[in-house]
Amino acid sequence: MANKFYITTPIYYVNASPHIGHSYTNIAADTLARHMRKSLGKDNVWFLTGTDEHGQKIQKAADESGLSPQQFVDKVVTQFKDLWQKLNISNDDFIRTTEKRHIQTVTRALEIAYAKGDIYQAQYEGWYCVPCENFCTETQVQVEDKTCPDCNRPIDKISETNYFFKLSNYQDWLIKHIESNPGFIRPQIRENEVLSFLKLNKLTDLCISRPKERLNWGIPLPFSPEHVTYVWFDALINYISAVGSFDNSGRYVSKWWDKDTQVVHLIGKDILRHHAVYWPIMLHALGIELPKEMVVFAHGWWMMGQDKMSKSRGNVVAPLDMADKYGIDTYRYFLLRDVPFGLDGNFSEESIIKRFNSDLANDLGNLVYRTLTMIEKYFQGQIPGLVALDEQGKNILASIKALPKESGDLLSLNFSFSLSLERIWNSIAMANKYVEETKPWNLAKENKIDELKSFIRLLVEVIRASGDEIDPFMPQTAVSIKEQFGKKEIKKGNPLFPRIDTKSKPNSRLPAGR
Ligand code: MSP
């Protein structure tokens, strides 16, 4: 196991406001980063997010808003930064592709690849999709109506001189690399998808330039005054420009990119090819070794009915609206619990309310509240000691002893956010069942004080252990649990998750400040 951990999210286009799909990747990455900080120490974890600010999409959005591209990106980037803060995203750095450190590294990378002969000039003639910023081959184009195979929007025929990156030279190397590094592309179906694509198709070289006459909002090509860099070649480099640089001899140096670091790129499945094909080849061509434990994990999409949630489809939901209405932690919990990471999921407020009422109000909230109430009632707020446990109690103790490793491995080894939460909730369910079966009021009546003490102390231990594991997912809830259960005594607060009455308006029952 590597002893350092570097996790990234995609850098988001700033042509529109962030929606639930964007927040999903950042919440997942944040949860992993928080978890890894606990196991490796906070100095050994680096969490990067940021914004993708060049390209035609951005230039077009800027033109439409009447601002210069720079003014436009400066304005929109604050929406992303503010949202991450609001959602408790603990990124260590935020990279913008318009920053000097990034532009310098991209320029150096282009020079190095050009000097090596991996970039060449050629005439391009063919179809181009502006919204996707993609060239489409003749076979891909949906010929009848001349539309893009990815987004179905109209495409343009263009003819121009451009620069190309020799992807095709590295196809065999990449196949070998993927085959000898199982777990590099995850989940497994995505690895299969990439491998079969690579085995069935000959890679075409990647066009990495755009003529300035068509687009000038980009990083200038150091070897051609007439061109800027294609936005994807520029964007992928953020993962190394944020954490290191090339030295004079062209060697890339970074604390977060070496054999002792696990590098994890979380992405949506829509950008798998860029991360699992272009990116490893770019690194290899630049002489940058791929860390042994590098992972590209492609998660699924949040859907609205049959459609992907996206700006172009006009069906987006704003993360802040949901977090304001249901609480930040509820929102984080819902996204990571409701859908296995890797699969698509349907978004609806009914599903949030369902999760809230069953898992948060009924299971966790109820366990916390009834335990606090019993400590008040039977022990005047003092947390009792553990004296002796019955069989059921011993099983519960064993379950919470195993909890950190089991729920932690599901997270850090499997990226199974939902199963990790499910494992935590197993312990919570065991404790709730224990309350129902033990009937503590009878123990009190029969004056079985030692049994009552042990019983309650065990509930406290379940809550503390669950609170620790919940922490990366729901940081505010973990703090609130810690505050309510002190070392020796309790400090009862408001119920953590008062049930949402589905007949009245959902937010009318939520306490202030959540
Ligand atoms: N700028 C590029 C990424 C460059 S990374 C070097 C980009 N930006 S994006 O803003 O269009 O989308 C970024 C990511 O947002 C997607 O890959 C995905 O992670 C997330 N999502 C966008 N819509 C989504 C859903 N409906 N559902 C889940 N995530 C999706 O692509």
Side-chain angles (χ1 to χ4, degrees):
M1 270 292 270
N3 54 27
K4 286 183 291 171
F5 185 75
Y6 171 36
I7 186 159
T8 70
T9 71
I11 48 172
Y12 302 98
Y13 287 128
V14 285
N15 61 332
S17 308
H19 63 68
I20 284 176
H22 306 127
S23 74
Y24 184 43
T25 329
N26 278 47
I27 290 171
D30 181 61
T31 301
L32 267 174
R34 287 172 183 270
H35 172 76
M36 295 309 285
R37 285 190 194 111
K38 289 207 293 179
S39 57
L40 298 179
K42 75 173 181 10
D43 293 343
N44 293 316
V45 173
W46 199 252
F47 170 17
L48 175 72
T49 188
T51 41
D52 196 351
E53 304 191 352
H54 289 127
Q56 200 144 341
K57 260 195 236 268
I58 314 290
Q59 183 166 304
K60 188 160 169 273
D63 289 349
E64 282 164 11
S65 73
L67 295 173
S68 73
Q70 190 64 53
Q71 285 170 330
F72 178 78
V73 297
D74 287 347
K75 192 171 145 212
V76 184
V77 72
T78 60
Q79 290 186 26
F80 284 86
K81 287 188 167 174
D82 290 351
L83 177 64
W84 303 148
Q85 207 178 4
K86 188 86 198 265
L87 294 178
N88 273 325
I89 304 300
S90 63
N91 51 300
D92 296 292
D93 193 3
F94 187 105
I95 181 124
R96 302 178 57 185
T97 55
T98 48
E99 283 170 38
K100 199 165 151 213
R101 58 175 171 162
H102 177 73
I103 295 170
Q104 273 173 350
T105 305
V106 172
T107 309
R108 285 285 279 140
L110 286 162
E111 282 166 355
I112 294 166
Y114 189 66
K116 261 187 78 185
D118 279 325
I119 292 175
Y120 63 93
Q121 195 201 60
Q123 184 72 14
Y124 178 83
E125 203 153 306
W127 297 99
Y128 188 68
C129 175
V130 175
C132 295
E133 309 231 24
N134 253 338
F135 291 98
C136 320
T137 61
E138 205 60 50
T139 48
Q140 282 177 323
V141 174
Q142 304 177 74
V143 188
E144 289 282 287
D145 46 0
K146 305 270 182 295
T147 52
C148 168
D150 288 330
C151 72
N152 295 322
R153 282 174 283 199
I155 47 174
D156 301 325
K157 186 134 207 183
I158 56 169
S159 167
E160 56 194 30
T161 302
N162 269 313
Y163 286 82
F164 292 79
F165 174 64
K166 282 188 185 165
L167 280 184
S168 53
N169 268 9
Y170 298 98
Q171 182 155 1
D172 293 340
W173 168 80
L174 182 60
I175 293 175
K176 249 213 213 113
H177 180 81
I178 296 171
E179 285 178 337
S180 50
N181 288 279
F184 166 50
I185 302 170
R186 299 211 209 169
Q188 185 67 45
I189 48 156
R190 301 295 164 215
E191 181 191 308
N192 302 346
E193 201 178 294
V194 173
L195 271 179
S196 70
F197 167 78
L198 286 171
K199 286 178 176 173
L200 293 173
N201 300 278
K202 176 107 195 66
L203 278 181
T204 46
D205 292 341
L206 181 67
C207 179
I208 55 132
S209 66
R210 296 294 180 266
K212 274 192 184 155
E213 65 205 31
R214 185 151 69 76
L215 171 77
N216 59 38
W217 183 236
I219 300 178
L221 279 194
F223 39 80
S224 166
E226 282 104 53
H227 291 88
V228 296
T229 312
Y230 168 47
V231 66
W232 266 104
F233 193 90
D234 161 351
L236 287 161
I237 288 178
N238 91 87
Y239 301 131
I240 55 171
S241 68
V243 292
S245 55
F246 291 100
D247 67 13
N248 287 340
S249 66
R251 200 171 65 95
Y252 177 71
V253 190
S254 165
K255 173 184 173 185
W256 300 105
W257 203 280
D258 61 12
K259 61 176 179 16
D260 299 324
T261 309
Q262 181 183 26
V263 175
V264 174
H265 296 309
L266 293 190
I267 57 165
K269 65 179 183 182
D270 44 338
I271 52 176
L272 178 65
R273 175 121 12 127
H274 307 79
H275 285 80
V277 178
Y278 307 164
W279 181 228
I281 291 183
M282 282 166 68
L283 286 165
H284 184 64
L286 290 167
I288 304 175
E289 207 177 318
L290 275 65
K292 190 86 196 117
E293 291 182 47
M294 181 169 175
V295 176
V296 171
F297 193 108
H299 64 67
W301 287 340
W302 283 97
M303 311 285 285
M304 295 295 270
Q306 298 300 308
D307 291 324
K308 178 190 179 202
M309 185 184 291
S310 73
K311 189 203 168 214
S312 58
R313 291 178 177 85
N315 59 3
V316 298
V317 178
L320 268 189
D321 289 352
M322 295 300 102
D324 283 344
K325 198 160 170 184
Y326 300 104
I328 293 159
D329 278 1
T330 303
Y331 178 64
R332 292 173 59 114
Y333 175 82
F334 168 76
L335 291 184
L336 296 181
R337 176 66 189 85
D338 215 49
V339 177
F341 205 56
L343 301 185
D344 291 350
N346 247 300
F347 182 82
S348 77
E349 289 192 49
E350 289 79 65
S351 335
I352 301 186
I353 295 174
K354 229 161 127 187
R355 281 278 166 206
F356 181 94
N357 278 342
S358 71
D359 305 3
L360 300 180
N362 263 8
D363 299 343
L364 175 61
N366 196 17
L367 177 64
V368 167
Y369 197 73
R370 73 209 310 193
T371 305
L372 290 167
T373 307
M374 286 189 281
I375 296 173
E376 257 178 353
K377 183 166 172 198
Y378 300 124
F379 300 107
Q380 294 75 49
Q382 303 295 311
I383 298 175
L386 200 69
V387 191
L389 285 174
D390 58 12
E391 256 336 278
Q392 195 175 0
K394 281 183 190 151
N395 284 340
I396 295 176
L397 195 62
S399 155
I400 57 171
K401 284 233 163 88
L403 176 62
K405 169 140 179 56
E406 289 178 10
S407 66
D409 282 356
L410 284 164
L411 251 191
S412 57
L413 303 180
N414 298 9
F415 299 85
S416 294
F417 296 88
S418 59
L419 288 182
S420 177
L421 284 167
E422 211 174 294
R423 173 62 187 85
I424 303 169
W425 256 255
N426 280 344
S427 293
I428 294 172
M430 278 174 103
N432 275 324
K433 193 158 168 253
Y434 193 36
V435 178
E436 273 126 45
E437 290 173 4
T438 307
K439 303 196 177 63
W441 46 95
N442 285 343
L443 293 180
K445 236 189 274 161
E446 291 162 21
N447 220 14
K448 292 185 173 163
I449 298 304
D450 279 353
E451 282 89 337
L452 186 61
K453 278 185 178 169
S454 302
F455 162 79
I456 289 182
R457 178 54 184 262
L458 184 59
L459 299 183
V460 173
E461 293 309 316
V462 173
I463 293 167
R464 283 182 174 149
S466 311
D468 284 347
E469 299 314 306
I470 285 170
D471 189 14
F473 297 89
M474 305 169 88
Q476 290 178 338
T477 304
V479 168
S480 167
I481 289 176
K482 272 220 166 74
E483 280 170 3
Q484 298 197 60
F485 293 87
K487 264 212 169 71
K488 295 216 168 89
E489 57 194 72
I490 56 158
K491 214 168 120 204
K492 197 172 174 190
N494 287 331
L496 285 179
F497 302 103
R499 270 188 78 81
I500 298 173
D501 179 356
T502 39
K503 288 186 201 93
S504 65
K505 277 180 71 189
N507 59 352
S508 62
R509 296 263 346 246
L510 293 173
R514 288 204 305 115

